[in-house]
Amino acid sequence: SPRATVAVPTLAAGDALAECLRSLESQTLTDFEVVVIDNSGTGLARVSGARTRLISNSRNVGFGAAVNQAFNSSQAPYLVTLNDDAVARPQWLEELVKDAEAHPKIGMFASQVRMAGSAALDSTGMLIAADGSSKQRGHGEAAEKFSCGEESLFPSGSAALYRREMLERIGTFDESFFLYCEDVDLGLRAQWAGWGCRYVKDAIVEHKYSHSAGRASTLKAYYVERNRLHTVIKNFPASMLLRAPWAAVTRYFWHCVSMMEGRGKAAEFVHIGKAGQTGGQTAALLPFLVLRAHISAAVRLPRLLRERRRIFRSRTITPDQFEELLRQHSISARRVASL
């Protein structure tokens, strides 16, 4: 059994995937396997190499389900996720595994994710807002500002290591999320169960941000909002749950302000729509996507509440400790809207 299984879900199965796999062939750590999960439904993905195997799905089962397939077909003590549009530096995997073995009580490890073709960061772990929205820690900032290995809230699923022991205890990715925020939900469940996260500064990858599923599309806007609600209902203690709707209203306000200023995801959504790249999406569509997300969460409320009870029954920290942890790794609604 290898020490690590690297799961690489793919939709395009094109040149970006080939470049990603070449970077994995150059890793200084050799005791690992690569599992490519082809979600394109075309069966066209091709892989080669003694340590690489392929799982082909007849349809897109989503990011979380694809990663779970790799986990369930593996016996490695570490499950590593990597986006198919990310390129790993040669020591990336070795640094993650080395840090995991040095900290056996920690369950999650975040990479230093840089934006491809830029000196700026994409992620050094994740931050969370009062309404459950999440953003990458350090996004757009210089790598030098994050030059120390340290505690983080949870990793971005674009390049992360998870301990098998932790996943066997708390469960794997929630497959009902389909796209986006699976890493947020898993990270919060892990924190409730007492598993921390560390940022590994020397585990470096370059990421072509949102290459796989598109930038600021209607699909992304809907799933991010819907899955934010799922995450909050499942994981937020009562005091935070009651405040979350008001925090969401504040974020919607700042999205409107940022859109008028030409900044943030809302402005990008409108700009892409004007360019005719996604079927003429407009700002007027955003409230309908938000409403649709809330209706979907309401329909799924019984299941979400069952999951909530399960998480709270197995927690090892108090709600006050959880709230303080999120406060230490928080981001304002205004900042969420501007990124």
Side-chain angles (χ1 to χ4, degrees):
S1 177
R3 292 166 72 190
T5 294
V6 182
V8 184
T10 185
L11 277 173
D15 294 340
L17 173 64
E19 187 178 5
C20 172
L21 295 180
R22 283 195 297 271
S23 74
L24 292 175
E25 291 173 359
S26 302
Q27 294 296 299
T28 54
L29 181 74
T30 58
D31 189 10
F32 72 98
E33 66 170 348
V34 179
V35 182
V36 175
I37 309 96
D38 181 10
N39 269 347
S40 68
T42 64
L44 296 179
R46 297 289 182 269
V47 300
S48 61
R51 65 163 59 95
T52 304
R53 55 190 173 90
L54 176 67
I55 296 175
S56 292
N57 292 316
S58 59
R59 58 183 177 85
N60 183 6
V61 298
F63 178 86
V67 173
N68 291 349
Q69 286 177 318
F71 175 80
N72 293 331
S73 66
S74 162
Q75 295 298 320
Y78 305 113
L79 175 69
V80 186
T81 58
L82 185 65
N83 277 17
D84 67 344
D85 53 5
V87 176
R89 296 277 182 92
Q91 289 185 301
W92 168 68
L93 190 55
E94 181 179 3
E95 292 295 334
L96 284 175
V97 171
K98 183 170 67 174
D99 209 78
E101 294 185 341
H103 300 88
K105 300 299 183 182
I106 302 297
M108 304 172 287
F109 298 83
S111 304
Q112 181 186 125
V113 185
R114 298 183 180 181
M115 290 190 283
S118 168
L121 289 170
D122 180 21
S123 166
T124 61
M126 300 293 288
L127 302 172
I128 196 163
D131 71 337
S133 299
S134 60
K135 285 292 182 180
Q136 301 94 323
R137 187 180 76 135
H139 184 73
E141 300 184 51
E144 291 74 20
K145 291 184 63 176
F146 300 87
S147 58
C148 297
E150 57 191 350
E151 178 188 290
S152 184
L153 183 58
F154 52 83
S156 165
S158 62
L161 181 145
Y162 299 95
R163 194 178 297 277
R164 171 176 288 273
E165 180 185 356
M166 180 193 79
L167 295 174
E168 288 178 341
R169 293 188 182 186
I170 70 169
T172 52
F173 287 104
D174 186 335
E175 298 183 6
S176 71
F177 278 46
F178 187 63
L179 288 173
Y180 303 113
C181 303
E182 308 96 332
D183 49 1
V184 184
D185 171 66
L186 179 60
L188 295 183
R189 286 191 280 124
Q191 291 288 359
W192 271 120
W195 295 94
C197 175
R198 276 181 53 83
Y199 160 59
V200 185
K201 65 180 180 65
D202 293 322
I204 302 172
V205 303
E206 294 189 357
H207 184 207
K208 298 175 183 176
Y209 186 62
S210 284
H211 169 83
S212 296
R215 298 175 65 92
S217 65
T218 54
L219 178 77
K220 184 171 184 177
Y222 167 70
Y223 277 111
V224 167
E225 184 67 6
R226 189 201 72 166
N227 292 343
R228 174 190 71 83
L229 294 168
H230 286 201
T231 299
V232 166
I233 294 169
K234 287 176 62 177
N235 293 283
F236 272 23
S239 59
M240 294 183 67
L241 191 60
L242 291 173
R243 297 195 299 268
W246 305 107
V249 170
T250 302
R251 179 173 57 84
Y252 298 151
F253 167 78
W254 285 115
H255 273 303
C256 292
V257 172
S258 296
M259 184 166 53
M260 289 186 290
E261 296 174 346
R263 298 182 293 112
K265 287 298 176 186
E268 183 182 304
F269 182 90
V270 175
H271 174 75
I272 291 175
K274 288 180 178 178
Q277 296 178 26
T278 58
Q281 61 192 30
T282 65
L285 183 59
L286 289 172
F288 291 98
L289 294 174
V290 170
L291 177 61
R292 181 186 169 199
H294 280 75
I295 293 172
S296 177
V299 170
R300 290 169 172 79
L301 187 59
R303 187 191 73 83
L304 295 172
L305 292 176
R306 287 195 299 271
E307 287 292 305
R308 177 184 177 86
R309 288 191 291 269
R310 184 184 64 80
I311 293 166
F312 277 63
R313 280 197 301 267
S314 60
R315 64 179 173 86
T316 63
I317 64 174
T318 68
D320 286 345
Q321 290 173 321
F322 183 86
E323 187 168 350
E324 174 60 20
L325 180 68
L326 267 60
R327 188 194 64 77
Q328 293 173 7
H329 300 279
S330 66
I331 184 171
S332 70
R334 184 173 186 174
R335 180 65 176 157
V336 169
S338 68
L339 289 176

